[in-house]
Structures are given as structure tokens and as C-alpha cells.
Amino acid sequence: MLTYTSDAGYPWKDELERFRTEVDQAKHVEPSGWNRARKIALIENIVRAYSGYQQENGAILDPFSDRERYYSTPAYAFAAAVLVKEGRADLLTSAAAALTHSISLVVRGEVPDNHADFFPILMLRAYVLLKPLLPEQATQWAAGLKQIEPEETYVFTMSKMNNPNRMINWNAIMISGEYLRYREQLASEGTEWMDHYLESYHLPRFTALGLYQDGPLDRPNSPLAYDIATRYHLGVMLDAGYDGRCASSLAESTRRGAFTSLLTLSPLGEIPPRGRSSQHQWNEAAAAYVFSSHASAAKQMGDPMMAGVFARAANLCFAAVDRWKMKDGRLHIVRNRYAPEIRHGYEIYTNHTCYTLWTAAALANAYLCDPGDEVAELPIPSEVGMRVLQMDGWFETITASVPGQQMVLHTALNDPYTVPGLVRIHQQGLPGLIGPAAAGHTESGFTEFSEGETLPISYCPAWRTPDGQWHSLAAGIPSGSEYNRDTGINPSDGGGAIVFNVEEDEGQETNRFTVDWIGPLVGLKSLRAYYTQQPGLLTVTYEFEGEIEAAGAVIPLMFSDGEEQAVITVSGDRVRSEFRGAYVESTVLNEGAEIRLQNYTVASRNGMLKEARMVLSDSQRITFTVRLGQ
């Protein structure tokens, strides 16, 4: 039997092969309940929620800013066109009007918020679906689309910027749409100019694991949201038949990336958080496409196992988005339940209508390449086996999973927007936020919060120096340069680093690993964190070397998602947060230790956190456990 795999250079190839063995031996997996009918229903709910905001000229109005924003209208056009294809004929006029308006905006150079680069992929996908149904109108659409001159029409081009560092995800997204325009014989040039951009500015950004490092070429800031978004768009281009000179390299990089995303997907169907735009619903919508596309590829190759695994991953991503539906069909676009107008956890560029409809469009692309309901779901990596994985490049993220549970650690010491420490715990069957699911930050970066203190907080070591001052790992180290949210931080600035080591533990459902944090940490010569992860139980030890008065552990606690508030209690040696029918409980194991609950609240993307601190005086070692349950 053929197997769907990557080439021999894939760093996690052995891990992938071990996972195949685990799947082969796995027991029955609980079905996700997601089939094609349910997927198209979710897309329809979103589209119809916004059909009422369509204006006479076809534009989709954003109700929160009372104007058309970004690429809302072409995203609506495409998602609505997919619904028309699936028999919702009443949306044909609406989809066509949105497409007509979108093309007009690009041709006239009047794209809202100067985001023309995002239009072509959405317009061309809609055009291909609608042109057989409206041939006369399609002639007018084609005439408009033929007027596009890429170097003049779009923003992130070398003719406009003359800066290789600025050829980021925008440029790749534009190219994916431009290939579709070329394929439809609506472009005057071939693929050579696209090949140049891909070869010079995009292929070099891929790590050996197939992750796309967005940001300046000389120091990419590597948000995982823009890794998955870029791979999604390039995948659409490849699936559409791109065969230029970069095709084989691009196909291998995106295939590696799909395996990496699979191996690091949480059991709740969410990609790890890192950097700007994390925990926006479109992250998982883009991932749904990546997984659906590779499920279909594995099916076509004759590998039912990987087809079933990728299909389940895609289904769990649909479920992850669906959990955040509002009553009217729209989405809470960031994973909290504050009213959209509050903008809690939003980036400065986040727009509710645009990001809801972009999510619908990405889900629609996933739907179109779905492998079909006949593909039987098989468990994903975080549901079977044990694995501890360190991402390569500048992603500085570790994921560790035992069956049904995953945790995420960030290791950058100098990035105030992505603080170090254990930042997320997901457990199957429990609310995604209980773990909790996000850290606090030293700087809010792009992110806006409606309430709470902007403070660094994660599961991390803390220590008191002889001057009576407390310090925590989450506060990081000085980089020596001013933080710039657009360009990020060079990981080497300030001298911070880690040493990561995984211990073999054959025959047990246990992960054991250590992280040595190296850098100019106040009062310390060295700091080591020991992690032992078992199903239902995490044990952590922090070991300090230096002149300190007390060892400590910071415990972040979910407090409020903007709708429901947790009940937090401190009792003797433990602290507990009960939230939405679940709990997380941390217990300090050292005799004589105390737990202090801080009186402030800390802002996070998910809402509000509280901080508890375990303190053990006259010690250089502290140990605690974390349990999650119902």
C-alpha cells in the first residue's frame, strides 16, 4: 500500500512513522460528528447573517464601523458562490453583486483600507463558480479582471516597496490569486514573475518543518497565524494546478507543513498560539483547508490511514470554529465572549465583519476539497501516543501531548508579545479556556484589551532576590533594543537561550523533559524546569541556582471570558478555578509552601486571568501539580 508522507529530509519523519503505528493500534475514536452537510450549514449560517448588511451596490457593510472594511465583500462573494453551487440559488444575485462590486473596487483603485492584495484569490474563486450561471455578467467580470496590473494594483510588490523584507504574507496571498487569474486566461503575463517572488522571498522563509516564517527576512517574527494563512493560500494555488519552476519545492514545503500542523494540533482542533492574530477563528479555518486538502491527496494516493487522520483534523478545526458562533450566526472572532464592539483581545487591525467572512471563505475552500463523508475518521496525534516536539526556525515553541491532552510552551526570553513559559493546556472534553489557553503579555503589541492589567503571566518560575524583589521568567530579559511590534525581536538580542532535553520513557503514557533557561536572569546563575506529563496529571519542578530568598511558581487562572466568571478558591496547598463545568487545580508539593492569590486581574485574548503565586522561602526548588477535570 502506498503511504502519504514527506521526503527523507523532514525532521519529524520518524515521529510521523511512529504515529502511523500508534494509529494502527488505536482503539475506536469518538466521531467528531462533522460531515459535509454540517460544514455547509456552518458556512451558510455565517453568510446569511451578513446578507442583511449588503448594500445596493453589492458591498457588505460592517455594522460596527458603519462602512465597508478590508476584503469583507469578496470573501462574502466567494462563500456565497459556494452556497449557490450547493443549491442555495436564492443567493446567486447577492453573490454576483458582491463580486461585481469587488472587481470594480480593484479596477478603480478604491479597495477599502488599502487591502487589494487579498482580493484576487477571493474574486477568482467566486468568478469560476459563478461564470457558468451568469455568462453575460461573466463577460463583464472578465473584462474587469483583465485590467489588473499586479505591480501597480497591489500594495506589497517590489515596484511599490523595493524592500525584500516587506515581501511577507500579503505578497504570497496576492500571488495565489494571480495564479488563478492566469489560469483563467485573464492575465497578460505568464508565471515567471510569480516564480521570481516565490523563489526569492517565500521559499527561503520555509523551515525544514515546512513552517512559514512571516516578518522581515533578516529577523522574522514568525506568528503561527500567518504561517498557516500563507500555507493555506499557497496550497490553494498548488491545488489549482500551479506548475511553475517552484512547484516541486513549494509542494514539498507545504506537505511538510501539513504534517507539522497535524503533529502539533490540540485535541480540541486548535493550532498553537504564537504572536499576532493568534486565537482568531480564521486560524483554524485556514488549518481546516490545509488538512482537507491533504486528506484528499492521501485518499487519491491510496493511503486511507492518513486520509482518515487528516480528515479528522479538518473536522476538529470546523468544530473549533463552530464553538464560537453567536446566536445570529456570526462569530466571536477571537476566543472570548465579550460583545464585538468591546474589541477585547482584538488586534488593532481586527475587523469583525471581515474576519468572520474571511473565516467563512476559508471554510468554503476546505469544503470544496473535502475528501468526502466516506473517509473514516482516525485519531490525530494529540489523541494517541506521547510526543514532545520543538518547532524549528524562530517559532520558539514546544508542544507536548499525551492521549487527549496537549500543552504549549514558549521559549523566547526577550519577546514581550510572546512571553516564555507554559501558556496553554488543552484537554479533550473540557472547555478550551480552562487551562488557561493564553498568557498575559509584557507589552500588548497589536492587541487591544478593554479591561485588566497588561502583565506577563504564564505557568513559569518566580524567585525573590535578597533585596526583597520578585522576578518571574514571564517578564523575560532586556533585549537591549526597543520593542517594535511590526518587526519583532531578534531572538539573539539580550543573550537569552534554552537547552531542551527529552527523556525516553518507554512503555508508559508519560512525557518527561527539561528546559534550561539561559540568560541574564536577575540573581540567577541557572534555572531549570522539569516537566512530567501524564494523562490527567502534570508535575512541574523549578530548580534555581543563585542568591535567592524564596523559590516561587506563577499559576495563571482563568477568571472570565467576558460572559461567565470563574470561581477561584485557595485552600491550604492548592488553588482551584472552576469555570463552565470544568476545573483546573494546582497543588504545591513542598511542605511549608504557601499560595498567594493576587488582587489584580490580567488581560488575555480569552478575557481575564488571575494570578496565584506559590512561595517557598529559603529554598531553591519548588514542585507543583496541575490537574484538569469536570
Side-chain angles (χ1 to χ4, degrees):
M1 183 183 71
L2 293 174
T3 59
Y4 188 71
T5 186
S6 190
D7 69 16
Y10 179 57
W12 291 352
K13 187 175 180 64
D14 291 344
E15 187 67 49
L16 193 60
E17 291 305 311
R18 185 166 67 86
F19 165 66
R20 289 185 66 96
T21 301
E22 291 165 349
V23 173
D24 199 41
Q25 298 172 349
K27 298 178 182 178
H28 172 73
V29 64
E30 187 69 26
S32 68
W34 281 86
N35 55 20
R36 287 178 60 78
R38 190 173 178 186
K39 291 174 182 178
I40 200 66
L42 172 58
I43 297 165
E44 184 172 6
N45 284 342
I46 297 172
V47 169
R48 292 199 183 276
Y50 278 99
S51 62
Y53 295 106
Q54 189 169 36
Q55 308 301 292
E56 281 189 25
N57 65 356
I60 304 298
L61 191 74
D62 172 49
F64 302 105
S65 52
D66 201 32
R67 60 188 176 95
E68 186 179 6
R69 299 301 306 272
Y70 299 102
Y71 35 93
S72 301
T73 303
Y76 175 91
F78 169 54
V82 172
L83 291 170
V84 172
K85 176 182 179 295
E86 294 301 307
R88 281 66 165 179
D90 62 306
L91 288 169
L92 176 59
T93 300
S94 177
L99 178 57
T100 298
H101 180 67
S102 298
I103 294 172
S104 175
L105 288 172
V106 174
V107 171
R108 299 197 316 267
E110 297 176 1
V111 169
D113 306 302
N114 206 26
H115 272 62
D117 304 53
F118 293 78
F119 272 58
I121 186 70
L122 298 165
M123 294 190 304
L124 268 295
R125 294 292 272 173
Y127 168 80
V128 168
L129 292 172
L130 296 176
K131 70 176 181 177
L133 306 176
L134 298 168
E136 291 186 13
Q137 206 163 346
T139 302
Q140 298 174 5
W141 292 333
L145 290 168
K146 286 180 179 179
Q147 295 181 50
I148 295 174
E149 296 290 341
E151 293 291 333
E152 299 304 318
T153 300
Y154 304 117
V155 179
F156 279 69
T157 62
M158 284 298 286
S159 63
K160 291 279 186 69
M161 293 190 168
N162 194 30
N163 183 354
N165 280 333
R166 298 300 286 160
M167 297 302 101
I168 57 172
N169 70 88
W170 285 49
N171 181 263
I173 290 168
M174 175 270 286
I175 288 170
S176 69
E178 277 297 301
Y179 174 75
L180 296 185
R181 193 168 71 94
Y182 161 78
R183 191 195 64 177
E184 291 300 311
Q185 301 181 334
L186 299 174
S188 58
E189 296 184 63
T191 64
E192 292 80 8
W193 69 273
M194 305 178 206
D195 297 335
H196 172 71
Y197 274 113
L198 291 169
E199 196 169 58
S200 300
Y201 310 122
H202 298 298
L203 284 177
R205 294 177 179 278
F206 280 99
T207 71
L209 288 172
L211 299 173
Y212 181 89
Q213 299 184 105
D214 196 54
L217 281 165
D218 60 345
R219 53 172 182 174
N221 46 53
S222 302
L224 282 167
Y226 293 97
D227 156 60
I228 196 70
T230 307
R231 287 193 282 118
Y232 152 60
H233 283 94
L234 294 174
V236 171
M237 185 175 81
L238 286 165
D239 286 348
Y242 168 71
D243 60 357
R245 69 172 182 262
C246 299
S248 60
S249 296
L250 195 61
E252 177 57 26
S253 289
T254 55
R255 184 162 48 247
R256 290 183 180 194
F259 288 124
T260 299
S261 290
L262 180 68
L263 287 163
T264 58
L265 189 70
S266 90
L268 301 185
E270 295 183 27
I271 67 170
R274 189 195 191 280
R276 66 189 182 95
S277 290
S278 72
Q279 298 206 59
H280 284 58
Q281 310 305 345
W282 58 259
N283 292 198
E284 281 62 42
Y289 172 82
V290 169
F291 294 137
S292 296
S293 172
H294 287 273
S296 292
K299 176 185 175 183
Q300 185 175 2
M301 180 175 280
D303 186 345
M305 176 183 289
M306 290 311 297
V309 171
F310 275 124
R312 180 168 177 82
N315 293 346
L316 292 175
C317 287
F318 268 88
V321 174
D322 184 71
R323 283 194 290 270
W324 294 93
K325 277 191 311 187
M326 298 166 68
K327 291 181 179 179
D328 63 2
R330 295 179 297 175
L331 299 173
H332 288 286
I333 57 171
V334 179
R335 291 195 165 92
N336 64 61
R337 299 192 182 276
Y338 287 79
E341 58 269 24
I342 300 298
R343 296 184 59 83
H344 186 90
Y346 284 28
E347 311 292 32
I348 58 171
Y349 50 75
T350 296
N351 174 266
H352 192 274
T353 298
C354 173
Y355 276 179
T356 300
L357 289 171
W358 193 95
T359 298
L363 293 176
N365 266 320
Y367 176 84
L368 289 178
C369 68
D370 188 273
D373 293 344
E374 69 277 9
V375 174
E377 288 185 342
L378 291 170
I380 66 170
S382 59
E383 294 179 307
V384 293
M386 295 75 66
R387 52 194 45 85
V388 184
L389 302 169
Q390 183 182 29
M391 292 183 182
D392 61 355
W394 289 19
F395 287 94
E396 301 173 298
T397 297
I398 296 169
T399 63
S401 63
V402 292
Q405 186 193 85
Q406 184 203 62
M407 60 186 194
V408 178
L409 290 93
H410 290 150
T411 60
L413 275 169
N414 63 354
D415 187 345
Y417 197 42
T418 305
V419 304
L422 173 56
V423 299
R424 185 179 83 184
I425 305 175
H426 270 179
Q427 190 158 308
Q428 206 162 36
L430 301 183
L433 306 190
I434 185 63
H441 307 283
T442 306
E443 298 281 352
S444 58
F446 288 95
T447 314
E448 302 172 321
F449 299 114
S450 63
E451 58 179 335
E453 302 290 334
T454 302
L455 294 171
I457 178 175
S458 64
Y459 288 98
C460 72
W463 62 97
R464 190 173 68 221
T465 48
D467 60 2
Q469 298 298 308
W470 275 100
H471 310 272
S472 82
L473 183 74
I477 62 174
S479 68
S481 59
E482 187 175 350
Y483 174 65
N484 183 307
R485 68 187 183 192
D486 290 302
T487 59
I489 290 287
N490 187 322
S492 64
D493 287 349
I498 70 158
V499 175
F500 170 62
N501 183 60
V502 180
E503 299 179 21
E504 295 295 329
D505 201 340
E506 297 292 337
Q508 299 184 44
E509 289 190 335
T510 304
N511 287 324
R512 301 180 195 276
F513 63 99
T514 60
V515 179
D516 292 322
W517 306 90
I518 301 168
L521 297 166
V522 178
L524 296 183
K525 294 179 180 178
S526 67
L527 172 58
R528 172 171 289 186
Y530 299 82
Y531 300 93
T532 301
Q533 184 188 23
Q534 300 167 289
L537 179 66
L538 173 64
T539 305
V540 182
T541 296
Y542 300 137
E543 191 174 76
F544 307 83
E545 181 183 359
E547 292 188 27
I548 64 172
E549 289 185 339
V554 174
I555 308 295
L557 300 162
M558 186 60 200
F559 182 60
S560 172
D561 61 3
E563 182 180 82
E564 185 167 318
Q565 185 168 303
V567 176
I568 296 176
T569 54
V570 177
S571 176
D573 60 354
R574 65 196 61 193
V575 58
R576 180 182 177 106
S577 175
E578 298 179 8
F579 177 75
R580 294 193 177 274
Y583 72 84
V584 57
E585 183 175 85
S586 297
T587 304
V588 62
L589 301 185
N590 304 85
E591 188 175 345
E594 58 179 311
I595 298 177
R596 303 169 183 172
L597 184 64
Q598 308 301 314
N599 59 11
Y600 50 77
T601 54
V602 180
S604 83
R605 288 192 192 278
N606 303 132
M608 306 289 287
L609 305 175
K610 294 287 282 186
E611 177 184 340
R613 184 170 297 174
M614 297 173 172
V615 178
L616 183 61
S617 297
D618 300 321
S619 177
Q620 297 202 330
R621 188 180 176 99
I622 190 168
T623 300
F624 64 95
T625 60
V626 182
R627 292 181 185 271
L628 291 83
Q630 290 179 311

